[in-house]
Amino acid sequence: MRPEDLDLFGDVGGRTAGKSGSAYEDERLAREVDVLFVFGDIASNRLVAELAQFEEEIKKSVFITYLAHTPSIEAAKAFVDQIKAKHADARHNCWGFVAGRPEDSMKWGFSDDGEPSGTAGKPILAQLSGSGVGEITAVVTRYSGGIKLGTGGLVKAYGGGVQQALKL
């Protein structure tokens, strides 16, 4: 909600501001309106409602991206473990999570799971943190096709898979 969208003398949350006759009531409603303006973006944080999955093949390697709502670091790690168990035969299960609010970097984590350093977990986390979605975990499973993708190809594959899954 933007400040200009709110009619200060009209309906605010089912109540009428400016028409109560009580100066105290008008002041209280004005403070509530100010709080709406200050914290309006907090309420608009997006969350993933259900499990999302995106699969693509790049140079004979199959990349399967899973996204899930995970409200805590423990839930994120449990989701990662669940996907690792499901794809125990995969070459790599790389992951990244934003366990709290998108801007709270104290609750971020990632792993390259054997891929060259910085080619999987960081691109996954970069897509998650840049999306503005909070309480989310991405796990990208890779079944290797035997063709080397190079570091740039890996970054593009892992980050691109998460980007596509976020669009679902």
Side-chain angles (χ1 to χ4, degrees):
M1 178 179 295
R2 299 178 323 217
E4 57 268 27
D5 293 337
L6 203 91
D7 178 6
L8 294 178
F9 297 101
D11 189 42
V12 178
R15 292 169 292 203
T16 305
K19 297 181 183 175
S20 66
S22 161
Y24 172 77
E25 182 69 14
D26 289 345
E27 184 179 328
R28 187 178 64 78
L29 287 174
R31 278 196 309 266
E32 286 181 19
V33 169
D34 287 341
V35 169
L36 281 173
F37 295 159
V38 172
F39 296 110
D41 289 340
I42 292 172
S44 69
N45 277 344
R46 300 178 333 180
L47 301 174
V48 173
E50 58 188 48
L51 182 69
Q53 180 179 339
F54 176 77
E55 184 174 323
E56 66 181 333
E57 184 176 316
I58 301 171
K59 293 186 179 179
K60 297 187 180 181
S61 284
V62 176
F63 291 84
I64 308 167
T65 303
Y66 296 93
L67 296 180
H69 174 245
T70 52
S72 66
I73 293 172
E74 294 77 21
K77 289 180 179 180
F79 177 67
V80 170
D81 290 342
Q82 178 185 357
I83 298 300
K84 280 185 171 185
K86 180 177 180 175
H87 294 284
D89 57 334
R91 184 84 172 157
H92 304 281
N93 286 290
C94 305
W95 51 267
F97 65 78
V98 176
R101 299 169 55 98
E103 64 276 359
D104 184 4
S105 62
M106 295 299 289
K107 294 185 179 180
W108 293 359
F110 66 91
S111 169
D112 293 317
D113 192 36
E115 291 284 22
S117 181
T119 61
K122 281 186 180 179
I124 291 169
L125 182 60
Q127 289 296 322
L128 294 177
S129 62
S131 71
V133 178
E135 299 181 356
I136 185 171
T137 299
V139 180
V140 182
T141 299
R142 178 184 180 198
Y143 287 95
S144 183
I147 298 175
K148 300 273 186 188
L149 299 179
T151 56
L154 290 171
V155 168
K156 185 176 177 182
Y158 283 104
V162 173
Q163 184 180 39
Q164 293 301 317
L166 284 164
K167 292 179 182 179
L168 299 178

